[in-house]
Amino acid sequence: MPASDAHITPVKASLDIPTSGTPQATANPRKRRKKGKGVESEDAEETWSWKSLTDSSASRAPPTFTKDGSYFFSASGSSVKIHSVATGEVVSTLTPPPTSVSDAAGSSSHSDVVTAATLNPHNPFQLITGSLDGYVRVWDFLDASLLQTVSIAQPIFHLAAHEKFREHVFVAAARPTKKKTSKANVATGEDNVAVLRVSLKPTAATAGSPVQTSSEIVGVGKTRSTTGLAISPSGAWLVATAGHKAYVCQTSDLKAGFTKFVSPERLTCLAFHPSEEYFATGDATGCIRLWYCLNESVAVKTPGVEKTAQTTTLHWHAHAVSSLVFTPNGAYLLSGGEEAVLVIWQLHTGKKEFVPRVGSPIVHIALVNSGGEEEYLLGLADASFVFIRASTLKISRSIARIKLDPAISHDRPSTSTAVPLAVHSLSSTLILPSSHPSSLQTYAPSTSRLLSELEVSPYNRVSRRDEKPLQPARVERVVLSDSGEWMATIDIREADESFRAEIYLKIWQWDRKAGFWILNTRIDRPHGLTKITGIAFRPRARTQDDLLLATTGEDGHIRTWRIRSVKTKSDGVEEFWVARSTLRFRDETPSDVSWAPDGSLLAVAVGSHVALYDSDTNALCQVLTSPECAVVSSVQFMGSSGRYLVVSGPRDVLLWNLVLQSLRWHYHSKSAIERPVSHPDEERVAVLERIQPSTTAESPWTKVLIFHPIDATPVAVRTLPFHLRTVVPVPSSGFFPTDPTGFTLVGVTEKWSVVVFGDDVDVPEEEGASAQGITRDAALGKRTLFHDIFGASAFADLTVAPSSSASASNTSITQPWKGRDVAEVFSAPSHLMPPLETLFDAVMDGFLAARTEEEDEQEEQDGEQDEMDVDEVPEASGQPLKSGVPLDRVVDRQEMNGFVELFMHCAIKAPPSRPPPAFPQVNGIHKPNGLPPHVNGVRTTPSTPAIASKPNGITPTPNGHAYTPSRTPAQSDSSPAVKVGKKRKKSLG
């Protein structure tokens, strides 16, 4: 669905960025009074069309598998994506309709993020979800339809269901409180939770409405902020974990409430054993405890006393355990956390195995068993999924669109504000920051696929040693040449008490054949120990000698770099980058650099000035200074002519006319200004203002002003419901089907979502992004051990209906048995092939053309005149054979016993290195010369002495020359059996 066709209420409607697949626009423009200089007194602000390319950050709802293990569900914002286990592709997306997303709690602060999901225990084709908008939804995921929506009017954090409780679910929902304080930096909003049993049967008054009210809600007990809610496999116990306590309740007596068991540390996750009555928890210090407290003593309560339970402790994790799950047989326990290591515990011995370096901190663990092969599915903090084979403990495949930075999502932001972002026109891809700050990822918007990940700075990805997080190497900047052949990156590692700072300028070359970036040159400390403030390639370079790279740093220097070619010993040419020149403007510190569209001028922002240099001679051509802008933060040329130069400061934007050497106009804003973005071809510039919310209930938003060179009055005003970290324009010949005269921009938001926005942005919709029905053909068969042994062709569908001979003679038959199909059929193992009678007619009809009746009659006439072929009359027999009477040879028991004894001697008692023993007597005849007897037992005396045969079957002569006899002794006394492959002689009558 195009982004311009969907309309929602603009700006500040939700705290979170909506998920991808939901383009945003507005049909209701707002009226806002303007007081800025040169701006109209009243103007309509419309939300720019935009679409998010990233999924929401790692959901708090673990992935759930279907009963047969063919699909799994993952929560993404307000939607639930259905993935195919075999391919990893999204086959459908369950999104609630707008009519059922009203806020029942009466507060606009609650979003509709899905927080829990489970299969209906009484119908495996239904999915039950709970979300922060207070709705319990029942989905038919095969038809992609919403069956029921039940409101409980409070945000839902966890949900559990059991087959013992038909038409009921247990939920952990926020309960209203008047207390607004907080303890230990923990928000009070989620600190008060009530565990409820909710009936899915609606009241009579709401039975026919889209949003129904539960007919019965029973309170079980109150807890702190829950980290887990589960029902025992038998359905006898309900357990919730919250804070430092485990809350246990018998489901047969919900009115008795919870019994509290104290934990020494804050609990973070919960899992029930599949067959026995005990559960496991993980805590904030990395300890795993097995709780043996589900017995009759739970019913005995002492008012005001919290109990302690008998537990078993397992400890390996250095940080909080984020997820636990038992294997189906209950023999193993799987755990994961911030270390990005999957730990497999053998419960009866306490031994453990590890799957390290899964790519990102583990958030969720789920198990799937389909086709007899067990796999572990890991949900990672960068919103990606990883499959691990249980048999090999190796990563088999991964699923990811755009990986998010888990360090940011874990409230560990970097001190740097620079974010790498670029558009590669050669491959029609985006170069984005990856899940680890030392890497970049390549994403193709046209196919919604993550193509590759480039590790710019090799880094040992370990978790933090103590509570203080480690500062990894971080890619801060990335720029591309306009040809797309070269890429320059800046990666730094900040200094600490035990490590000095590192700064590298790396230049990469695009390999067209491999479709990947190859490191060409690494320059250590291009501007000393100071940071690089600006970097840009020279555009429109006609030759390699004209291509330059300009950098500016906090050391005050302006450097340019060029390509140097050197001949190698093998008469090849090696290219690498070297320093070309170093400039300095007074004692000012440069903050930005930009090239003219034709590459003739280099503009550098230095302090309150803009210095223009000749790119060939490095001569200072002009200095632009304006009192309206005391500090210049960015500089760039407008359009493709290079006539206008846009200069911006913290709150000011200036436009210079370089031909007339005059200031064209000046715009002052009351809000902070992001870096202006010029249109690649047209003479237009977009200025982004960061608008802070006036109340805590509102979310921050961005106002976009579009200017022309005429004056400082914006020709258009647009809004975006988020703040941006960085923005780059998309070339008009890019991969987005948009109007070349309009703006198309790509940016990274404050919450690290990648968004595309602009004038009528139309991004190709991802396959499976909408609600689609699931058919059985959509699920591909899983690869099993039999596929590895016999091959995929052994499991091909070879069922072909036999064709009728009568219809084949009259009509032309088209059979699929052609080319590779035939090879695949007959390459299957013999015991897996269908009966021959089902294949012969169909295959032969596909190979041979149908004969006409005239051809059949002509063939019969010709056959009557031809002579018949019969078996050859043997020379050793004086009796001729009768025509058409086959002579069957009978093998008696004595001959068969001789063969059995022969093979036993050859296979067991005759090693290859020793001379072969004498052959046993066959049919009562013994060969003293060592020659094998004839098969029919007739003794033949050779006319020549016995000569040992060569291994290759050629008998040498006494003079050393080899010859091939035309008739061996065995052939001279052959049996009357028909010789295979020899033409029969003509019958004598």
Side-chain angles (χ1 to χ4, degrees), residues 69 80 84 103 121 262 288 341 426 448 478 512 520 555 661 775 804 816 890 893:
V80 177
S84 171
D103 191 3
V262 180
I288 301 171
V341 177
L426 281 183
S448 299
V478 56
R512 291 178 179 267
N520 179 272
D555 60 347
Q661 300 182 4
T775 60
S804 174
V890 179
R893 183 182 298 247

PDB file of all heavy atoms in Angstrom, residues 69 80 84 103 121 262 288 341 426 448 478 512 520 555 661 775 804 816 890 893:
ATOM      1  N   GLY A  69       4.884 -26.830  14.184  1.00  0.00           N
ATOM      2  CA  GLY A  69       6.223 -26.278  14.057  1.00  0.00           C
ATOM      3  C   GLY A  69       6.544 -25.695  12.708  1.00  0.00           C
ATOM      4  O   GLY A  69       7.716 -25.436  12.416  1.00  0.00           O
ATOM      5  N   VAL A  80       1.457  -8.685  14.844  1.00  0.00           N
ATOM      6  CA  VAL A  80       2.079  -9.987  15.055  1.00  0.00           C
ATOM      7  C   VAL A  80       2.467 -10.533  13.687  1.00  0.00           C
ATOM      8  O   VAL A  80       1.605 -10.696  12.811  1.00  0.00           O
ATOM      9  CB  VAL A  80       1.136 -10.967  15.781  1.00  0.00           C
ATOM     10  CG1 VAL A  80       1.797 -12.334  15.913  1.00  0.00           C
ATOM     11  CG2 VAL A  80       0.750 -10.431  17.146  1.00  0.00           C
ATOM     12  N   SER A  84       7.649 -18.197   8.392  1.00  0.00           N
ATOM     13  CA  SER A  84       7.808 -19.589   8.007  1.00  0.00           C
ATOM     14  C   SER A  84       9.103 -20.115   8.607  1.00  0.00           C
ATOM     15  O   SER A  84      10.165 -19.492   8.457  1.00  0.00           O
ATOM     16  CB  SER A  84       7.837 -19.733   6.481  1.00  0.00           C
ATOM     17  OG  SER A  84       8.189 -21.046   6.107  1.00  0.00           O
ATOM     18  N   ASP A 103      -8.878   3.724  22.964  1.00  0.00           N
ATOM     19  CA  ASP A 103      -8.265   3.557  24.281  1.00  0.00           C
ATOM     20  C   ASP A 103      -9.348   3.353  25.322  1.00  0.00           C
ATOM     21  O   ASP A 103     -10.040   4.285  25.720  1.00  0.00           O
ATOM     22  CB  ASP A 103      -7.414   4.791  24.604  1.00  0.00           C
ATOM     23  CG  ASP A 103      -6.542   4.556  25.816  1.00  0.00           C
ATOM     24  OD1 ASP A 103      -6.557   3.436  26.364  1.00  0.00           O
ATOM     25  OD2 ASP A 103      -5.870   5.492  26.207  1.00  0.00           O
ATOM     26  N   PRO A 121      -5.312 -23.197  23.790  1.00  0.00           N
ATOM     27  CA  PRO A 121      -5.115 -24.627  24.095  1.00  0.00           C
ATOM     28  C   PRO A 121      -6.226 -25.521  23.575  1.00  0.00           C
ATOM     29  O   PRO A 121      -6.041 -26.733  23.465  1.00  0.00           O
ATOM     30  CB  PRO A 121      -5.047 -24.637  25.632  1.00  0.00           C
ATOM     31  CG  PRO A 121      -5.733 -23.398  26.063  1.00  0.00           C
ATOM     32  CD  PRO A 121      -5.478 -22.390  25.003  1.00  0.00           C
ATOM     33  N   VAL A 262      10.295 -15.842  48.939  1.00  0.00           N
ATOM     34  CA  VAL A 262      11.289 -14.782  48.813  1.00  0.00           C
ATOM     35  C   VAL A 262      12.510 -15.287  48.053  1.00  0.00           C
ATOM     36  O   VAL A 262      12.976 -16.417  48.268  1.00  0.00           O
ATOM     37  CB  VAL A 262      11.701 -14.252  50.197  1.00  0.00           C
ATOM     38  CG1 VAL A 262      12.742 -13.140  50.065  1.00  0.00           C
ATOM     39  CG2 VAL A 262      10.485 -13.745  50.945  1.00  0.00           C
ATOM     40  N   ILE A 288      20.369 -19.131  38.485  1.00  0.00           N
ATOM     41  CA  ILE A 288      19.163 -19.868  38.098  1.00  0.00           C
ATOM     42  C   ILE A 288      18.774 -20.744  39.271  1.00  0.00           C
ATOM     43  O   ILE A 288      19.612 -21.492  39.796  1.00  0.00           O
ATOM     44  CB  ILE A 288      19.405 -20.715  36.834  1.00  0.00           C
ATOM     45  CG1 ILE A 288      19.829 -19.813  35.661  1.00  0.00           C
ATOM     46  CG2 ILE A 288      18.158 -21.508  36.474  1.00  0.00           C
ATOM     47  CD1 ILE A 288      20.282 -20.584  34.443  1.00  0.00           C
ATOM     48  N   VAL A 341      25.391 -15.735  24.926  1.00  0.00           N
ATOM     49  CA  VAL A 341      25.792 -17.142  24.969  1.00  0.00           C
ATOM     50  C   VAL A 341      24.585 -17.958  25.399  1.00  0.00           C
ATOM     51  O   VAL A 341      23.950 -17.660  26.415  1.00  0.00           O
ATOM     52  CB  VAL A 341      26.963 -17.368  25.946  1.00  0.00           C
ATOM     53  CG1 VAL A 341      27.315 -18.855  26.021  1.00  0.00           C
ATOM     54  CG2 VAL A 341      28.178 -16.564  25.530  1.00  0.00           C
ATOM     55  N   LEU A 426      24.945   2.222  -6.790  1.00  0.00           N
ATOM     56  CA  LEU A 426      25.287   1.098  -7.653  1.00  0.00           C
ATOM     57  C   LEU A 426      24.480  -0.145  -7.312  1.00  0.00           C
ATOM     58  O   LEU A 426      24.016  -0.856  -8.208  1.00  0.00           O
ATOM     59  CB  LEU A 426      26.786   0.785  -7.554  1.00  0.00           C
ATOM     60  CG  LEU A 426      27.737   1.690  -8.334  1.00  0.00           C
ATOM     61  CD1 LEU A 426      29.162   1.201  -8.183  1.00  0.00           C
ATOM     62  CD2 LEU A 426      27.359   1.738  -9.810  1.00  0.00           C
ATOM     63  N   SER A 448      13.320  -5.594   0.824  1.00  0.00           N
ATOM     64  CA  SER A 448      13.203  -5.655   2.292  1.00  0.00           C
ATOM     65  C   SER A 448      14.099  -6.743   2.865  1.00  0.00           C
ATOM     66  O   SER A 448      13.712  -7.495   3.756  1.00  0.00           O
ATOM     67  CB  SER A 448      11.740  -5.895   2.705  1.00  0.00           C
ATOM     68  OG  SER A 448      10.929  -4.850   2.251  1.00  0.00           O
ATOM     69  N   VAL A 478      30.247   7.746   7.489  1.00  0.00           N
ATOM     70  CA  VAL A 478      30.433   7.001   6.256  1.00  0.00           C
ATOM     71  C   VAL A 478      29.991   7.887   5.106  1.00  0.00           C
ATOM     72  O   VAL A 478      28.923   8.515   5.163  1.00  0.00           O
ATOM     73  CB  VAL A 478      29.651   5.670   6.282  1.00  0.00           C
ATOM     74  CG1 VAL A 478      28.173   5.895   6.540  1.00  0.00           C
ATOM     75  CG2 VAL A 478      29.849   4.895   4.986  1.00  0.00           C
ATOM     76  N   ARG A 512      32.579  -5.289  -7.721  1.00  0.00           N
ATOM     77  CA  ARG A 512      31.337  -5.506  -8.462  1.00  0.00           C
ATOM     78  C   ARG A 512      31.006  -6.992  -8.576  1.00  0.00           C
ATOM     79  O   ARG A 512      29.832  -7.382  -8.531  1.00  0.00           O
ATOM     80  CB  ARG A 512      31.454  -4.893  -9.865  1.00  0.00           C
ATOM     81  CG  ARG A 512      31.494  -3.365  -9.873  1.00  0.00           C
ATOM     82  CD  ARG A 512      31.660  -2.844 -11.281  1.00  0.00           C
ATOM     83  NE  ARG A 512      31.674  -1.388 -11.335  1.00  0.00           N
ATOM     84  CZ  ARG A 512      30.597  -0.641 -11.553  1.00  0.00           C
ATOM     85  NH1 ARG A 512      29.420  -1.235 -11.739  1.00  0.00           N
ATOM     86  NH2 ARG A 512      30.672   0.665 -11.603  1.00  0.00           N
ATOM     87  N   ASN A 520      40.747  -0.948   1.199  1.00  0.00           N
ATOM     88  CA  ASN A 520      41.855  -0.559   0.337  1.00  0.00           C
ATOM     89  C   ASN A 520      42.972   0.123   1.114  1.00  0.00           C
ATOM     90  O   ASN A 520      44.143  -0.219   0.951  1.00  0.00           O
ATOM     91  CB  ASN A 520      41.346   0.360  -0.780  1.00  0.00           C
ATOM     92  CG  ASN A 520      42.440   0.844  -1.710  1.00  0.00           C
ATOM     93  OD1 ASN A 520      43.078   1.869  -1.462  1.00  0.00           O
ATOM     94  ND2 ASN A 520      42.655   0.102  -2.792  1.00  0.00           N
ATOM     95  N   ASP A 555      41.766  19.411  15.108  1.00  0.00           N
ATOM     96  CA  ASP A 555      43.119  19.950  15.202  1.00  0.00           C
ATOM     97  C   ASP A 555      43.293  21.222  14.384  1.00  0.00           C
ATOM     98  O   ASP A 555      44.370  21.833  14.408  1.00  0.00           O
ATOM     99  CB  ASP A 555      44.130  18.905  14.751  1.00  0.00           C
ATOM    100  CG  ASP A 555      43.901  18.453  13.302  1.00  0.00           C
ATOM    101  OD1 ASP A 555      42.823  18.773  12.747  1.00  0.00           O
ATOM    102  OD2 ASP A 555      44.778  17.764  12.748  1.00  0.00           O
ATOM    103  N   GLN A 661      28.073  37.200  -4.930  1.00  0.00           N
ATOM    104  CA  GLN A 661      28.810  37.359  -3.681  1.00  0.00           C
ATOM    105  C   GLN A 661      28.006  38.170  -2.663  1.00  0.00           C
ATOM    106  O   GLN A 661      28.494  39.140  -2.066  1.00  0.00           O
ATOM    107  CB  GLN A 661      30.166  38.024  -3.931  1.00  0.00           C
ATOM    108  CG  GLN A 661      31.058  37.242  -4.873  1.00  0.00           C
ATOM    109  CD  GLN A 661      32.414  37.904  -5.055  1.00  0.00           C
ATOM    110  OE1 GLN A 661      32.719  38.911  -4.419  1.00  0.00           O
ATOM    111  NE2 GLN A 661      33.224  37.343  -5.940  1.00  0.00           N
ATOM    112  N   THR A 775      -1.934 -21.157   3.547  1.00  0.00           N
ATOM    113  CA  THR A 775      -2.291 -22.444   2.963  1.00  0.00           C
ATOM    114  C   THR A 775      -1.202 -23.453   3.263  1.00  0.00           C
ATOM    115  O   THR A 775      -0.075 -23.102   3.601  1.00  0.00           O
ATOM    116  CB  THR A 775      -2.481 -22.324   1.440  1.00  0.00           C
ATOM    117  OG1 THR A 775      -1.247 -21.871   0.856  1.00  0.00           O
ATOM    118  CG2 THR A 775      -3.580 -21.336   1.116  1.00  0.00           C
ATOM    119  N   SER A 804      -3.913 -43.012 -21.019  1.00  0.00           N
ATOM    120  CA  SER A 804      -4.669 -44.030 -21.757  1.00  0.00           C
ATOM    121  C   SER A 804      -4.084 -44.176 -23.151  1.00  0.00           C
ATOM    122  O   SER A 804      -3.830 -43.204 -23.854  1.00  0.00           O
ATOM    123  CB  SER A 804      -6.144 -43.623 -21.827  1.00  0.00           C
ATOM    124  OG  SER A 804      -6.854 -44.510 -22.646  1.00  0.00           O
ATOM    125  N   PRO A 816       5.235 -33.989 -18.494  1.00  0.00           N
ATOM    126  CA  PRO A 816       6.267 -33.184 -17.822  1.00  0.00           C
ATOM    127  C   PRO A 816       7.598 -33.901 -17.711  1.00  0.00           C
ATOM    128  O   PRO A 816       8.497 -33.381 -17.087  1.00  0.00           O
ATOM    129  CB  PRO A 816       5.651 -32.965 -16.431  1.00  0.00           C
ATOM    130  CG  PRO A 816       4.823 -34.181 -16.196  1.00  0.00           C
ATOM    131  CD  PRO A 816       4.272 -34.557 -17.534  1.00  0.00           C
ATOM    132  N   VAL A 890      18.969 -75.132 -15.950  1.00  0.00           N
ATOM    133  CA  VAL A 890      18.649 -75.442 -14.565  1.00  0.00           C
ATOM    134  C   VAL A 890      19.940 -75.547 -13.773  1.00  0.00           C
ATOM    135  O   VAL A 890      20.860 -76.279 -14.158  1.00  0.00           O
ATOM    136  CB  VAL A 890      17.844 -76.755 -14.468  1.00  0.00           C
ATOM    137  CG1 VAL A 890      17.535 -77.082 -13.017  1.00  0.00           C
ATOM    138  CG2 VAL A 890      16.573 -76.652 -15.286  1.00  0.00           C
ATOM    139  N   ARG A 893      21.651 -78.098  -7.074  1.00  0.00           N
ATOM    140  CA  ARG A 893      22.068 -77.748  -5.724  1.00  0.00           C
ATOM    141  C   ARG A 893      23.582 -77.828  -5.576  1.00  0.00           C
ATOM    142  O   ARG A 893      24.188 -77.017  -4.871  1.00  0.00           O
ATOM    143  CB  ARG A 893      21.379 -78.669  -4.738  1.00  0.00           C
ATOM    144  CG  ARG A 893      21.679 -78.345  -3.276  1.00  0.00           C
ATOM    145  CD  ARG A 893      20.972 -79.366  -2.416  1.00  0.00           C
ATOM    146  NE  ARG A 893      19.539 -79.264  -2.639  1.00  0.00           N
ATOM    147  CZ  ARG A 893      18.686 -78.849  -1.698  1.00  0.00           C
ATOM    148  NH1 ARG A 893      19.121 -78.565  -0.517  1.00  0.00           N
ATOM    149  NH2 ARG A 893      17.403 -78.760  -1.956  1.00  0.00           N
TER     150      ARG A 893
END
